[in-house]
Amino acid sequence: MFAKIRLFAVLLTLSLVTAISAQAAEKLNFVVTDLEGLEEVQREFGPFRDVLESKAGLEIKFYPVTSRTAAVEALKAKKADFVLTGPAEYVVMRKLTNCTPVVGFSRPDYFSAIIVKSDSGINSVADLKGKKVAMSDVGSTSGHLGPSQVFMDNGVDPQQDIKVIHTSKEIAWESLKKGDVSAWGYNATSFMRFRDKDKTVNPGAFKTIARGPDLPNDVLVAAPHVDQKVIDKVVKAITENSDQLISEILKGEDNKKYAGMQFLATIQDSDYNYVRDMYRTINQPKFAAFVGD
């Protein structure tokens, strides 16, 4: 009798330990590379996290990082389970950690363009040889890497044939208006927001002389240590509740860039080969470091 009781107690203990271990394994750390500090991540993605947590049946905690490099280190140390990052960052993360793309966060009209003043006499990318071109911070997907590739795709080497001025978008806009630079290579929709908001100029004062293809999407990646069953839960929760989750994402001010977005569960690594071309264009063919850090 006592032997049966002891056996039952052992089995009960083992089942409890197993249940607790399984529950612990489903506590996930979530990183957003574009945002610094827990408060900012919580403000932008807190509502999204809460719904995803509920629908997936997982406990999801934000793990704030101070840089893209810190995000890589967190993946390697198994302190980060899922990371939401941009296309340029993904290519390096993939190289350094072998993370898996899980879901794409599409951004409508997300492409790089070369903009000039309409009365500048510049009508093609070749006309910009030897001239100053404003671009965003080194490493920006749509403000540096993308425009650089647009130049290369049009037969102009951005490393040799033009003088690139890396500056803030506000200064770039003012410089383009004044003629201090001959062109601005930037995210097309962001340029249009500047153009339409500025009442000192007419929209017709500017023209686009070249544009690249729509850029690869921001992407949610899973660390190599994350179990496939957990990944499947996250993908299922996102795809089955996409409208609600998108609504929650758009509550964040910085997340307005996702207006009109769609989740893409068919995302794959080869979708980012165009970004790899961008790295090659700026003489970074190994994809093993974040440029601009």
Side-chain angles (χ1 to χ4, degrees):
M1 180 67 177
F2 287 113
K4 289 182 178 179
I5 292 174
R6 284 198 296 273
L7 177 61
F8 176 77
V10 170
L11 292 174
L12 179 61
T13 300
L14 287 174
S15 65
L16 287 172
V17 169
T18 301
I20 291 171
S21 298
Q23 185 178 20
E26 293 186 346
K27 291 182 179 179
L28 306 173
N29 283 341
F30 185 95
V31 171
V32 181
T33 59
D34 281 351
L35 304 173
E36 291 187 18
L38 182 59
E39 183 178 346
E40 189 174 4
V41 177
Q42 178 66 43
R43 183 176 64 249
E44 295 292 326
F45 283 95
F48 166 80
R49 186 274 314 272
D50 294 344
V51 173
L52 180 60
E53 201 175 43
S54 172
K55 300 299 183 181
L58 302 166
E59 184 178 341
I60 302 173
K61 293 177 60 180
F62 289 127
Y63 187 87
V65 294
T66 56
S67 67
R68 301 170 293 182
T69 300
V72 167
E73 294 306 316
L75 285 169
K76 288 181 176 179
K78 299 184 180 181
K79 293 180 179 179
D81 301 297
F82 287 88
V83 176
L84 177 61
T85 194
E89 291 80 7
Y90 163 73
V91 166
V92 177
M93 285 186 184
R94 171 78 172 190
K95 179 73 172 183
L96 298 179
T97 71
N98 198 34
C99 57
T100 302
V102 175
V103 176
F105 285 46
S106 73
R107 291 172 59 177
D109 301 321
Y110 181 44
F111 59 89
S112 298
I114 310 301
I115 302 107
V116 300
K117 295 182 73 173
S118 297
D119 61 1
S120 64
I122 297 170
N123 298 304
S124 71
V125 172
D127 292 338
L128 287 168
K129 286 186 177 182
K131 299 184 184 301
K132 294 180 181 178
V133 178
M135 293 188 190
S136 296
D137 294 339
V138 175
S140 166
T141 304
S142 62
H144 171 221
L145 300 179
S148 296
Q149 191 60 39
V150 173
F151 273 99
M152 186 63 81
D153 290 344
N154 284 272
V156 176
D157 187 339
Q159 301 285 99
Q160 303 291 333
D161 298 335
I162 60 174
K163 183 177 181 180
V164 176
I165 308 297
H166 292 286
T167 187
S168 71
K169 54 185 178 292
E170 290 82 9
I171 293 176
W173 169 242
E174 292 298 326
S175 298
L176 180 65
K177 286 197 304 179
K178 295 175 183 177
D180 293 337
V181 295
S182 299
W184 185 17
Y186 194 47
N187 179 331
T189 52
S190 295
F191 156 71
M192 287 187 280
R193 283 198 293 270
F194 271 90
R195 181 197 66 187
D196 296 342
K197 185 178 179 180
D198 193 330
K199 302 306 179 184
T200 68
V201 293
N202 294 317
F206 306 93
K207 65 182 180 181
T208 297
I209 59 170
R211 60 154 287 178
D214 282 15
L215 294 165
N217 304 287
D218 287 3
V219 59
L220 180 68
V221 304
H225 66 266
V226 178
D227 188 272
Q228 185 61 47
K229 291 181 180 178
V230 174
I231 295 175
D232 292 342
K233 280 186 178 181
V234 170
V235 174
K236 185 173 186 290
I238 289 176
T239 55
E240 292 184 352
N241 302 277
S242 61
D243 289 347
Q244 183 179 2
L245 287 167
I246 289 171
S247 176
E248 300 301 332
I249 284 176
L250 295 179
K251 289 179 179 178
E253 187 60 35
D254 186 68
N255 289 342
K256 300 304 182 188
K257 63 188 179 185
Y258 292 118
M261 71 165 285
Q262 179 176 323
F263 291 115
L264 303 173
T266 57
I267 205 83
Q268 53 189 337
D269 178 67
S270 60
D271 295 339
Y272 294 82
N273 284 342
Y274 186 66
V275 179
R276 293 181 172 97
D277 289 340
M278 297 176 193
Y279 276 105
R280 294 185 185 99
T281 289
I282 64 166
N283 296 328
Q284 297 290 332
K286 295 183 178 180
F287 328 124
F290 296 110
V291 294
D293 281 0

